[in-house]
């Protein structure tokens, strides 16, 4: 990742927020879990369709870009607007054109990040989304984490040096003042393309020393690093992946509260970033 | 995937060949397997560095593009040249800038495919590489397959519709005349980011009805489909993933022969494509 001071010593003038999706552990495919996941995704799809419900779009009075900067036919959506002196872009990966479900995972998020950086030349990437948390590492539902580093847990290439490539460990942009001022928790983030957690995934998550697990972060970090744009990762814990499962009612209540907490945290981060240069973060 | 006849009814005038990397099954991390994989990758890295050794670059007298069409700083390399009326582009994903190993896997190949389509607007994508083969499905070392369809085997999202998104099944561009004329085998291709094969991966590979396994195909297919460019997948079998392992000497002999067979097959495919339109493939 580009060090925060490398890009420019002027104030940050443009950011891109890549919206991630929910990640959750599926320990079994029992009807119970299946049921609450279905409800979860119906909620998310509903929310995604309802721009009114997107707290960041509302808060900063962003508009949808009807002349998309992306290639014709791709489902990626840009919302944008100016807040103080900061150009805010929110990129939502949209829905799969054939299946109608939200685009999730590392391939989609890497493409969206690449295309957004190429089109919008931001000074900073913020990858914001929900995540599973590890109780053993101190995570609780509702916590909002600013990841210190990110890595993959499902790219096993057990050959010297290629193993490190597979893990793809990258440091997030260092933001000590932001962390202190906003009183966010910090921990390591581990990324994989599956909703469940196999024994091999679990070993890798533990080897990554991860506190939170998502489906996009390490791919966003790879692209940001490749194109030398600093990136930070804001992940709100919707569920505990190494503990007891809540009832579906509890889960839905959690989810709404956690989504609001994420929106609030990103709002405070944007407020903090305004009129600051990278080295002040 | 765009049907082969959709793009244009004129002759195909420009192709992009995305070079894939080796994929092999690692059933254990025994010193023996470790040893031959090390040698395998040393061979591949050596070959990648030695342009003289690249049969396609030599055969078609391609030149490296020193004014890369890609963003500054990315390691992707383009070789190009004209053969009869066809503009041939070979894109090699290059080496990881920090670690020095070849860029492999779905994130890298999806980015390279996206950037190549944006920059070069090809009429056809050819994803060419080596693969593991399943003996139970009739694969033998040295076979060259033209994949009929491609899917992921390591993106498990067990929720209705999202499960299909994870599998990401896509048809290759239909090429019945090419298949018949060149006497290539056909079978289904399954893609994942790990070199090994966990029980969950194996179940998904079987569910995908796959004959060959690689680390890029389904990601290339996703991007080609997104941007409506027809794509074909040419995969040469270097090893059998559901059978006895060869000695390291046998494996190296196989690998050299198989790499040559892959180069020869792609050469014949290019010869066949020349001066034809999509519907004649």
């Amino acid at each position: 990742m580009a060090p925060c001071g490398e890009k420019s010593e002027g104030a940050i003038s443009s950011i891109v927020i890549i919206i991630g999706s929910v990640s959750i552990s599926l320990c079994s495919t029992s009807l119970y879990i299946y049921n609450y996941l279905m409800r979860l995704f119906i909620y998310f799809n509903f929310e995604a369709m309802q721009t009114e419900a997107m707290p960041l779009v509302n808060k900063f009075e962003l508009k949808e870009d009807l002349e998309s900067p992306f290639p014709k036919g791709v489902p990626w959506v840009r919302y944008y607007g100016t807040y103080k002196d900061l150009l805010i872009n929110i990129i939502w990966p949209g829905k799969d054109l054939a299946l109608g479900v939200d685009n999730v995972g590392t391939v989609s998020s890497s493409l969206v990040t690449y295309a957004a950086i190429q089109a919008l030349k931001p000074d900073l990437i913020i990858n914001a989304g929900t995540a599973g948390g590890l109780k053993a590492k101190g995570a609780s539902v509702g916590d909002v984490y600013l990841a210190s580093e990110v890595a993959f847990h499902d790219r096993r290439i057990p050959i010297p040096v290629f193993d490190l490539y597979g893990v793809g460990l990258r440091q997030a942009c260092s933001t000590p003042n932001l962390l202190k001022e906003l009183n966010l928790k910090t921990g390591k983030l581990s990324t994989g393309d599956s909703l469940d957690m196999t024994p091999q995934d679990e070993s890798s998550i533990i080897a990554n020393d991860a506190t939170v697990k998502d489906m996009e972060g390490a791919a966003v970090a790879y692209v940001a690093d490749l194109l030398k744009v600093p990136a930070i990762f804001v992940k709100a814990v919707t569920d505990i992946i190494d503990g007891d499962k809540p009832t579906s009612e509890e889960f839905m209540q959690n989810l709404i509260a956690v989504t609001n907490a994420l929106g609030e945290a990103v709002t405070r981060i944007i407020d903090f970033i305004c009129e600051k240069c990278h080295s002040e973060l």
Side-chain angles (χ1 to χ4, degrees), chain A:
Chain A
M1 198 71 54
C4 278
E6 188 179 279
K7 177 109 185 168
S8 149
E9 266 315 293
I12 294 167
S13 63
S14 167
I15 61 171
V16 161
I17 303 171
I18 306 285
I19 298 293
S21 62
V22 73
S23 176
I24 188 169
S25 171
L26 236 196
C27 295
S28 81
T29 51
S30 69
L31 195 62
Y32 157 67
I33 293 177
Y34 174 97
N35 178 48
Y36 85 66
L37 280 169
M38 271 300 288
R39 296 173 61 177
L40 163 67
F41 275 92
I42 289 165
Y43 170 82
F44 259 74
N45 286 342
F46 175 74
E47 185 194 53
M49 284 186 291
Q50 300 291 321
T51 305
E52 299 76 20
M54 293 177 74
L56 292 174
V57 170
N58 284 342
K59 159 74 187 174
F60 295 107
E61 298 177 353
L62 306 184
K63 286 184 298 192
E64 183 173 343
D65 184 356
L66 300 175
E67 293 176 13
S68 166
F70 304 125
K72 195 180 156 212
V74 303
W76 313 330
V77 181
R78 174 191 180 220
Y79 299 94
Y80 70 102
T82 302
Y83 175 69
K84 298 181 183 171
D85 286 335
L86 188 66
L87 173 61
I88 301 174
N89 301 280
I90 293 184
I91 312 297
W92 176 55
K95 288 183 183 296
D96 184 88
L97 296 169
L99 297 170
V101 294
D102 282 7
N103 288 313
V104 298
T106 62
V107 166
S108 170
S109 59
S110 61
L111 292 171
V112 168
T113 305
Y114 179 89
I117 293 175
Q118 288 300 103
L120 305 169
K121 313 283 180 207
D123 297 321
L124 180 71
I125 294 281
I126 301 175
N127 176 215
T130 54
L134 278 92
K135 188 174 66 175
K137 299 287 295 177
S140 302
V141 169
D143 286 345
V144 180
Y145 277 85
L146 200 59
S148 55
E149 56 184 51
V150 296
F152 292 92
H153 59 250
D154 61 353
R155 309 197 318 174
R156 298 173 308 279
I157 315 178
I159 302 168
V161 191
F162 274 93
D163 53 357
L164 300 176
Y165 174 88
V167 171
L169 174 67
R170 283 174 171 82
Q171 305 298 317
C173 170
S174 170
T175 55
N177 298 323
L178 188 153
L179 205 59
K180 196 171 158 188
E181 180 106 0
L182 271 61
N183 198 27
L184 297 171
K185 292 179 97 165
T186 187
K188 297 174 186 174
L189 171 63
S190 193
T191 297
D193 271 309
S194 293
L195 210 56
D196 63 3
M197 188 165 64
T198 65
Q200 291 83 359
D201 291 345
E202 189 170 14
S203 298
S204 299
I205 289 170
I206 292 168
N208 288 345
D209 191 29
T211 304
V212 275
K213 166 185 180 279
D214 79 346
M215 296 175 81
E216 284 94 11
V220 172
Y222 176 83
V223 180
D225 188 24
L226 190 67
L227 299 176
K228 304 288 172 238
V229 182
I232 62 174
F233 305 85
V234 190
K235 300 285 163 172
V237 176
T238 45
D239 68 301
I240 293 301
I241 63 177
D242 58 348
D244 297 333
K245 297 290 159 188
T247 67
S248 54
E249 286 68 25
E250 283 169 339
F251 188 85
M252 289 308 294
Q253 287 168 3
N254 288 347
L255 185 64
I256 293 165
V258 169
T259 310
N260 289 338
L262 176 65
E264 192 200 320
V266 175
T267 301
R268 290 168 64 214
I269 288 171
I270 292 172
D271 254 324
F272 184 85
I273 285 171
C274 272
E275 297 166 4
K276 288 202 176 58
C277 58
H278 281 292
S279 59
E280 294 174 302
L281 297 186

